[in-house]
């Protein structure tokens, strides 16, 4: 078990190394530079001084080695576009905000989605099923920005209940959370429904029913637990996604989260920020994968045996 | 077809909002004052927005327009361009008065008694420090080229001379002297830019690279100071009581929400969360115009939309071919079809808002493209004749449909697709040319343009200050900011002479002569339209300016009757 764990962590480190290296060179092959947002032909000397300041005048491979050296010391550098903003501080400050908004939305979406999934599965091909699936299709097909602007328009402009955008008070959380929980509701409901239907047709459900367990016990203790397996896989990805923010929602509602930096750093050639956010995302993802494997062992007895066998 | 300069089009967005925001930043005691000062609201505050988080509030390192919208409010420079009775008025800033020697190369500024927010007096030394810091190569300032007129700037910026050799010194605590390498007629408008603001050496050194990156790492000597800054969410400014002219500052608080999304700020304006909004979309224009509690201000900006030719290209090295492509476009028509009729058709490179002294440049210089067309018509010719003439000169036969011409656009969305189709149709109809369109994202487009890997391009450019030099100097051979590869010694000479000519009439004539070469003789660039700013302000807001180059922040803004 320990050897297995060490091996897995080793793989994780190699994966991260590859991700950083590939990102570094891919990113530098994008045309433009951090000054191109100025949309001005700057004098040669201005450009040269700027490059020199950020070490961008050195050979690319030298820059790569410098970056790796700093990375090993845990230093992600300073943003090239936002002077004075350290990349690690920015991540540390913004990802919890994304985590808060996204986490609440995910929790709400999870609970509602699972409930709706169960209702749909137990009422297959009857109206509650159709209704749930209708909501689920809406949730996956309506673009986030459409839903968000509709909410802004009706709730803020027409009804005047909540501010359309902003940060700092609990009321600012409501709209982004509603928008962000819509997607999870939809996908959890759909996944759980199909997985539940699959589970309900298994022999052990028949056994449980034959043992004389109440319908409630059969569903909650046997069917639901086994139906959760595919959900755990999606959930892990979603939890990682929570800390990397939601670009569109954050930008529309003025949430100072990390989502902005993922997209804007690429658009603006903010090299250190691109790498920092990528490293952060990759690390979270790799860790989440480890955790998922571990959780699988806890949830599913069939998986539990595998790593132990030699 | 909707004219949608949306957030994706980084460059025009940037340039457009330079204008929009400089308007939000422009306010005046006399400009739009309706004289109702008696019933000032008890709580004086303004809510507005920026479409992006400022990069930094460090005047040496900022590189975007958003930071300058904040800095004009929090820092005081030597002078301030204001609006008085609808006209530009150069007011004092830190400098109570100033003078120059006879040939305009040595400027002396006498500072008043302004203080920083912590009570420390503003001194000439702080100006010297700031200008030296921005010039020093290791600072890597993206705006340092604004300091180019100062003596020894280039050598200092290259690292060849020590910063102490820069032509700026403090004669005493309150007297600043700036020496220029040659006379610069527009020098006083130039020093009203952020890179000429003073900086506190003690604070810059104490805070190091953090300087300007957070609210607690800023210090102000202007009408307002930064109270808080939540990146990508909001910036709050509050009145700075130490400011020399604090008694004329009525607002206690200015909140900027960072709203990158169009629908968000439209909804926020409708919900009463912000007091100003700008739009370039017809449907929103109509909607906001129908509001009774809103004042609509519409005026020409300093941002031009144009196409430009690669004069090193096999085909476009020929001036007649360039002229044909320039004259084949009907500027009224492209404005209606592609820009929703929201811009001003433009017939010269210098936009209609720029003046030389008191004289509007465009009125003096005339509509050059129009004149060319009329001349052509009088000779019974069409743009196609010019094209054929050019083809003959190049030995390319007489069949325009065989020419291979690619028009490069910096965008890939529907708006650009429509523009591409429009250009194809027009050039097919007018010149018989089968145009190809290349669509690319801004970064790729600009990379191709700088490498000379294009034939015709399409772009926008915003003027920084109110003198034709700002835009005409872009074509000087060794600057070539528009990347046309065009070199013309006579043009260079005219611009050089104009840049040091203190007599306004003579200077105006030099600029006209230069623009005549650029447009009429050589057709290096094809001006199309100038953007308009469409701004809506809630009717309880007073004391703001609608002059694009005024630079007064929210200094004189106040509200009467805010619900």
């Amino acid at each position: 078990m320990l050897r297995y764990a060490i091996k897995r962590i080793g793989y994780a480190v190699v994966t991260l190394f590859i991700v950083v290296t590939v990102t570094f060179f891919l990113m530098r092959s994008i045309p433009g530079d951090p000054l191109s947002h100025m949309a001005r032909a700057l004098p040669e000397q201005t450009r040269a001084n700027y490059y020199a300041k950020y070490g961008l005048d050195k050979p690319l491979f030298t820059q790569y080695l410098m970056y790796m050296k700093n990375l090993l010391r845990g230093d992600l550098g300073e943003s090239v576009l936002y002077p004075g903003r350290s990349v690690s501080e920015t991540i540390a400050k913004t990802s919890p905000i994304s985590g808060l908004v996204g986490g609440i939305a995910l929790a709400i979406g999870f609970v509602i989605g699972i409930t709706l999934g169960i209702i749909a599965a137990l009422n297959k091909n009857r109206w509650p099923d159709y209704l749930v699936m209708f909501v689920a299709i809406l949730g996956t097909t309506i673009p986030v920005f459409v839903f968000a602007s509709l909410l802004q328009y009706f709730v803020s402009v027409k009804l005047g209940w909540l501010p359309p955008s902003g940060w700092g008070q609990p009321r600012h959380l409501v709209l982004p959370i509603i928008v962000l929980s819509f997607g999870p509701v939809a996908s959890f409901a759909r996944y759980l429904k199909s997985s539940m239907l699959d589970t309900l047709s298994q022999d052990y459900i028949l056994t449980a029913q034959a043992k004389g367990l109440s319908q409630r016990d059969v569903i909650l203790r046997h069917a639901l637990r086994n139906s959760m397996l595919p959900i755990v896989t999606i959930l892990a990805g979603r939890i990682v996604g929570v800390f990397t923010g939601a670009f569109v929602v954050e930008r529309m509602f003025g949430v100072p989260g990390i989502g902005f930096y993922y997209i804007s750093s690429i658009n603006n050639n903010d090299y250190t920020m691109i790498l920092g956010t990528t490293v952060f995302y990759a690390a979270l993802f790799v860790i989440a994968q480890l955790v998922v494997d571990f959780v699988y062992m806890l949830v599913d007895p069939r998986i539990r045996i595998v790593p132990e066998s030699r | 077809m909707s004219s949608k300069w949306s957030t994706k089009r980084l460059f025009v967005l940037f340039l457009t909002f330079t204008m929009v925001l400089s308007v939000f930043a422009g306010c005046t005691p006399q400009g739009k004052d309706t004289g109702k000062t008696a019933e000032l609201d008890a709580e004086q505050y303004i809510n507005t927005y920026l479409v992006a988080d400022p990069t930094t509030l460090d005047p040496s390192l900022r590189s975007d327009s958003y930071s300058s919208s904040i800095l004009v409010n929090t820092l005081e420079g030597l002078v301030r361009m204001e609006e008085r009775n609808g006209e530009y008025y150069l007011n004092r800033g830190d400098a109570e008065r100033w003078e120059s020697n006879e040939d305009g190369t040595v400027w002396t500024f006498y500072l008043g008694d302004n203080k920083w927010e912590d009570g420390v007096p503003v001194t000439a030394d702080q100006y010297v420090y700031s200008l030296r810091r921005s010039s020093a190569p290791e600072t890597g300032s993206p705006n340092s080229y604004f300091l180019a007129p100062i003596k020894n700037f280039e050598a200092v910026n290259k690292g060849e001379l020590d910063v102490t050799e820069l032509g700026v010194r403090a004669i005493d605590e309150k007297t600043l002297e700036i020496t220029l390498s040659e006379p610069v007629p527009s020098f006083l408008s130039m020093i009203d830019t952020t890179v000429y603001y003073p900086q506190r050496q003690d604070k810059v050194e104490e805070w190091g690279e953090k300087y300007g990156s957070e609210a607690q790492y800023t210090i102000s000597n202007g009408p307002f100071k930064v109270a808080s800054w939540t990146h990508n969410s909001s910036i709050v400014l509050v009145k700075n009581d130490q400011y020399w002219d604090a008694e004329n500052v009525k607002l206690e608080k200015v909140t900027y929400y960072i709203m990158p999304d169009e629908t968000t700020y439209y909804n926020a304006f409708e919900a009463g969360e912000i007091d100003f909004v700008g739009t370039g979309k017809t449907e929103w224009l109509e909607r906001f115009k129908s509001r009774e509690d809103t004042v609509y201000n519409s005026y020409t900006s300093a941002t031009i939309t144009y196409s430009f030719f690669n004069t090193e290209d096999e085909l476009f090295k020929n001036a007649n071919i360039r002229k044909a492509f320039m004259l084949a476009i009907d500027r009224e028509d492209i404005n209606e079809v592609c820009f929703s009729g929201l811009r001003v058709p433009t017939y010269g490179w210098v936009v209609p808002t720029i003046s030389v002294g008191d004289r509007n440049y465009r009125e003096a210089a005339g509509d050059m493209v129009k004149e060319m067309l009329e001349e052509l018509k009088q000779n019974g010719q069409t743009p196609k004749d010019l094209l054929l003439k050019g083809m003959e000169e190049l030995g390319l036969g007489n069949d325009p449909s065989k020419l291979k011409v690619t028009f490069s656009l910096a965008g890939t969305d529907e708006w650009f697709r429509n523009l591409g189709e429009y250009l194809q149709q027009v050039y097919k109809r007018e010149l018989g040319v089968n145009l190809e369109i290349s669509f690319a994202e801004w970064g790729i487009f600009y990379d191709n343009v700088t490498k000379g890997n294009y034939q015709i391009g399409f772009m926008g450019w915003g003027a920084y200050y109110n003198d034709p030099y700002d835009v005409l100097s872009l074509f000087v051979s060794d600057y070539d900011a528009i990347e046309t590869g065009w070199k013309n010694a006579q043009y260079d000479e005219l611009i050089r002479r104009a840049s040091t000519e203190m007599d306004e009439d003579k200077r105006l004539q030099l600029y006209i002569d230069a623009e005549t070469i650029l447009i009429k003789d050589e057709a290096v660039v094809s001006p199309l339209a100038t953007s308009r700013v469409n701004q809506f302000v809630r009717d309880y807001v007073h004391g703001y300016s609608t002059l694009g180059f005024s630079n007064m922040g929210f200094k004189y803004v106040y509200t009467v009757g805010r619900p």
Side-chain angles (χ1 to χ4, degrees):
Chain A
M1 185 69 188
L2 186 67
R3 268 188 62 183
Y4 174 75
I6 291 171
K7 208 161 120 188
R8 284 302 307 266
I9 292 168
Y11 283 150
V13 172
V14 175
T15 310
L16 280 182
F17 171 76
I18 294 173
V19 167
V20 176
T21 308
V22 170
T23 311
F24 186 92
F25 290 102
L26 273 183
M27 154 188 106
R28 297 305 295 274
S29 68
I30 305 175
D33 63 52
L35 285 177
S36 55
H37 74 280
M38 290 182 78
R40 286 208 165 245
L42 295 176
E44 267 325 294
Q45 193 59 44
T46 307
R47 215 167 258 282
N49 290 343
Y50 184 87
Y51 287 166
K53 176 176 174 171
Y54 290 99
L56 297 171
D57 54 341
K58 299 198 171 60
L60 194 56
F61 196 71
T62 316
Q63 293 181 42
Y64 171 71
L65 290 181
M66 277 166 54
Y67 186 81
M68 284 315 234
K69 211 170 99 190
N70 289 335
L71 185 62
L72 285 179
R73 288 184 299 156
D75 180 6
L76 294 175
E78 188 188 302
S79 164
V80 184
L81 183 66
Y82 301 100
R85 294 196 206 172
S86 119
V87 173
S88 23
E89 257 175 50
T90 301
I91 294 174
K93 218 187 263 177
T94 55
S95 67
I97 291 173
S98 296
L100 173 73
V101 178
I104 298 175
L106 183 61
I108 293 174
F110 181 77
V111 172
I112 298 179
I114 297 296
T115 315
L116 290 181
I118 298 174
I119 294 171
L122 296 181
N123 295 286
K124 196 183 163 209
N125 293 339
R126 276 180 289 165
W127 71 264
D129 179 25
Y130 295 135
L131 186 67
V132 169
M133 286 306 113
F134 177 68
V135 171
I137 287 168
L138 276 191
T140 39
T141 49
I142 295 187
V144 171
F145 67 91
V146 173
F147 188 39
S149 27
L150 284 175
L151 266 187
Q152 274 180 344
Y153 183 70
F154 285 106
V155 178
S156 309
V157 179
K158 285 285 145 191
L159 301 171
W161 288 351
L162 291 165
S165 160
W167 186 251
Q169 293 159 358
R171 66 199 180 113
H172 290 128
L173 289 170
V174 181
L175 292 184
I177 285 177
I178 294 178
V179 175
L180 278 176
S181 59
F182 206 39
V185 166
S187 60
F188 286 129
R190 278 186 312 129
Y191 277 110
L192 192 84
K193 180 198 158 189
S194 55
S195 148
M196 186 93 163
L197 287 175
D198 185 49
T199 317
L200 287 174
S201 66
Q202 298 286 327
D203 289 345
Y204 56 79
I205 297 293
L206 203 60
T207 313
Q209 282 166 340
K211 279 198 297 192
L213 288 179
S214 72
Q215 182 70 359
R216 201 183 141 223
D217 277 356
V218 172
I219 286 163
L220 288 184
R221 291 179 51 186
H222 295 270
L224 185 59
R225 186 169 162 188
N226 287 298
S227 309
M228 290 300 278
L229 216 50
I231 305 291
V232 170
T233 320
I234 332 170
L235 192 62
R238 292 265 183 178
I239 291 175
V240 171
V242 157
F243 288 97
T244 58
F247 176 67
V248 176
V249 171
E250 287 178 5
R251 148 194 161 98
M252 289 190 74
F253 292 105
V255 177
I258 194 173
F260 166 81
Y261 291 99
Y262 276 92
I263 311 293
S264 73
S265 62
I266 297 174
N267 286 340
N268 298 326
N269 296 72
D270 189 350
Y271 300 134
T272 39
M273 195 62 88
I274 297 177
L275 282 168
T277 49
T278 309
V279 169
F280 175 67
Y281 185 77
L284 274 184
F285 196 80
V286 166
I287 293 167
Q289 290 303 313
L290 284 174
V291 174
V292 167
D293 286 352
F294 196 64
V295 172
Y296 265 147
M297 288 185 230
L298 296 179
V299 177
D300 189 344
R302 287 172 300 186
I303 295 175
R304 201 175 299 161
I305 340 160
V306 182
E308 291 294 351
S309 65
R310 313 217 146 86
Chain B
M1 185 191 292
S2 78
S3 165
K4 87 183 222 320
W5 287 118
S6 76
T7 37
K8 274 176 244 161
R9 266 176 301 296
L10 202 57
F11 72 106
V12 176
L13 170 120
F14 170 75
L15 297 167
T16 307
F17 278 99
T18 310
M19 297 317 305
V20 173
L21 294 167
S22 63
V23 170
F24 289 175
C27 330
T28 174
Q30 278 88 7
K32 290 282 179 287
D33 193 334
T34 45
K36 287 192 284 185
T37 35
E39 317 127 44
L40 280 188
D41 291 326
E43 270 189 84
Q44 288 291 322
Y45 64 93
I46 284 289
N47 295 322
T48 184
Y49 69 106
L50 293 175
V51 298
D53 205 30
T55 51
T56 171
L57 297 180
D58 175 346
S60 295
L61 291 184
R62 57 158 285 266
S63 58
D64 57 333
S65 59
Y66 316 108
S67 49
S68 88
S69 332
I70 302 294
L71 288 175
V72 297
N73 286 300
T74 59
L75 290 178
E76 182 82 345
L78 293 165
V79 295
R80 229 175 234 274
M81 188 60 85
E82 302 188 349
E83 179 184 336
R84 296 237 167 135
N85 306 319
E87 306 264 332
Y88 286 114
Y89 173 78
L90 189 70
N91 199 5
R92 63 158 288 194
D94 272 344
E96 277 181 330
R97 58 194 174 89
W98 51 85
E99 63 198 26
S100 73
N101 66 350
E102 216 155 275
D103 69 352
T105 51
V106 180
W107 289 80
T108 313
F109 297 90
Y110 301 93
L111 306 187
D113 284 328
N114 195 19
K115 290 195 185 76
W116 294 83
E117 62 176 274
D118 60 356
V120 172
V122 173
T123 64
D125 271 331
Q126 292 157 357
Y127 277 92
V128 174
Y129 171 71
S130 177
L131 296 175
R132 284 181 180 168
R133 178 169 180 255
S134 298
S135 308
E138 62 272 16
T139 309
S141 165
N143 299 296
S144 56
Y145 61 93
F146 272 101
L147 306 176
I150 300 180
K151 194 180 164 199
N152 290 337
F153 167 78
E154 268 176 42
V156 169
N157 196 232
K158 274 188 184 140
E160 290 166 5
L161 277 183
D162 190 75
V163 285
T164 52
E165 301 290 322
L166 189 71
V168 51
R169 70 188 179 105
I171 292 174
D172 59 44
E173 198 184 317
K174 291 285 183 187
T175 315
L176 176 73
E177 184 188 89
I178 299 180
T179 308
L180 310 181
S181 31
E182 45 190 17
V184 176
S186 48
F187 184 64
L188 281 175
S189 345
M190 284 188 88
I191 59 171
D192 191 20
T193 48
T194 57
V195 79
Y196 280 90
Y197 291 164
Q199 294 183 45
R200 284 275 294 273
Q201 184 168 7
D202 55 336
K203 294 296 174 188
V204 176
E205 281 166 5
E206 180 189 335
W207 294 327
E209 60 188 24
K210 289 280 165 212
Y211 175 53
S213 67
E214 307 281 347
Q216 69 265 36
Y217 304 126
T218 63
I219 186 151
S220 144
N221 72 331
F224 300 93
K225 53 188 179 183
V226 188
S228 75
W229 182 6
T230 309
H231 292 312
N232 293 308
S233 189
S234 64
I235 298 177
V236 179
L237 307 184
V238 295
K239 185 176 172 176
N240 173 15
D241 294 324
Q242 298 285 340
Y243 181 56
W244 68 272
D245 199 18
E247 62 178 271
N248 281 318
V249 179
K250 302 195 182 71
L251 292 176
E252 289 297 331
K253 189 173 161 185
V254 180
T255 306
Y256 291 84
Y257 295 103
I258 315 295
M259 293 178 169
D261 188 84
E262 267 181 308
T263 34
T264 305
Y265 53 74
Y266 296 151
N267 281 328
F269 185 71
E270 293 258 69
E273 296 280 319
I274 52 177
D275 304 317
F276 291 82
V277 79
T279 181
K281 284 196 167 169
T282 4
E283 59 271 28
W284 285 98
L285 269 175
E286 293 314 314
R287 198 188 163 94
F288 292 139
K289 272 187 200 167
S290 67
R291 288 183 69 110
E292 283 179 0
D293 57 357
T294 297
V295 178
Y296 172 49
N297 299 307
S298 175
Y299 50 92
T300 312
S301 78
T303 300
I304 189 168
T305 304
Y306 59 95
S307 57
F308 55 109
F309 305 104
N310 181 356
T311 61
E312 285 166 335
D313 178 72
E314 277 307 300
L315 193 61
F316 289 99
K317 67 184 178 195
N318 182 287
N320 279 319
I321 293 183
R322 295 198 296 266
K323 281 181 196 166
F325 275 81
M326 176 164 98
L327 297 177
I329 301 274
D330 180 338
R331 281 154 181 76
E332 300 279 345
D333 190 57
I334 195 174
N335 184 42
E336 284 309 316
V337 178
C338 298
F339 311 139
S340 307
L342 292 176
R343 301 189 191 179
V344 183
T346 304
Y347 299 92
W349 173 247
V350 180
V351 290
T353 35
I354 289 183
S355 43
V356 175
D358 295 334
R359 294 182 68 185
N360 179 283
Y361 175 83
R362 202 66 276 150
E363 278 165 23
D367 287 337
M368 295 193 175
V369 179
K370 245 184 206 167
E371 289 162 15
M372 288 169 78
L373 269 170
E374 276 157 20
E375 199 182 319
L376 205 60
K377 222 180 255 170
Q378 278 168 11
N379 298 339
Q381 285 184 310
T382 62
K384 192 171 179 177
D385 294 323
L386 287 173
L387 177 68
L388 291 171
K389 192 175 163 202
M391 285 172 70
E392 198 187 314
E393 284 163 3
L394 292 176
L396 291 172
N398 56 6
D399 185 1
S401 69
K402 289 200 176 122
L403 289 178
K404 218 176 138 34
V405 184
T406 306
F407 204 119
S408 300
L409 300 181
T412 55
D413 65 8
E414 202 197 332
W415 190 88
F416 276 102
R417 303 267 162 205
N418 286 331
L419 176 66
E421 270 173 37
Y422 175 83
L423 293 169
Q424 277 176 326
Q425 282 171 15
V426 167
Y427 282 125
K428 179 76 196 168
R429 190 181 65 223
E430 300 294 325
L431 301 180
V433 171
N434 293 314
L435 196 68
E436 298 217 6
I437 307 287
S438 147
F439 299 97
E441 289 303 337
W442 165 252
I444 297 167
F445 166 84
Y446 201 61
D447 204 48
N448 279 329
V449 166
T450 42
K451 287 180 182 143
N453 188 14
Y454 78 101
Q455 289 183 291
I456 321 179
F458 179 93
M459 251 184 83
W461 190 284
Y464 265 130
Y465 55 85
N466 192 7
D467 192 277
Y469 182 79
D470 185 48
V471 289
L472 288 175
S473 62
L474 302 171
F475 288 97
V476 167
S477 302
D478 55 3
Y479 187 21
D480 191 23
I482 307 293
E483 312 280 356
T484 57
W486 183 65
K487 288 186 175 30
N488 185 304
Q490 201 191 340
Y491 183 87
D492 294 353
E493 175 60 17
L494 286 167
I495 296 297
R496 197 196 60 73
R497 278 172 53 201
S499 73
T500 57
E501 177 58 63
M502 300 301 279
D503 183 290
E504 276 169 9
D505 288 338
K506 284 186 193 157
R507 192 158 94 243
L508 177 67
Q509 193 52 50
L510 289 167
Y511 286 139
I512 294 174
D513 292 346
E515 200 192 27
T516 306
I517 297 178
L518 182 73
I519 301 292
K520 283 189 164 174
D521 301 350
E522 292 277 328
V524 180
V525 67
S526 164
L528 296 170
T530 309
S531 301
R532 289 185 74 79
V533 174
N534 292 292
Q535 181 206 42
F536 294 88
V537 189
R538 296 296 292 270
D539 58 7
Y540 47 78
V541 181
H542 302 274
Y544 56 88
S545 156
T546 53
L547 290 180
F549 293 109
S550 66
N551 213 5
M552 301 151 44
F554 281 99
K555 184 172 165 184
Y556 301 108
V557 173
Y558 60 92
T559 66
V560 174
R562 180 191 282 276

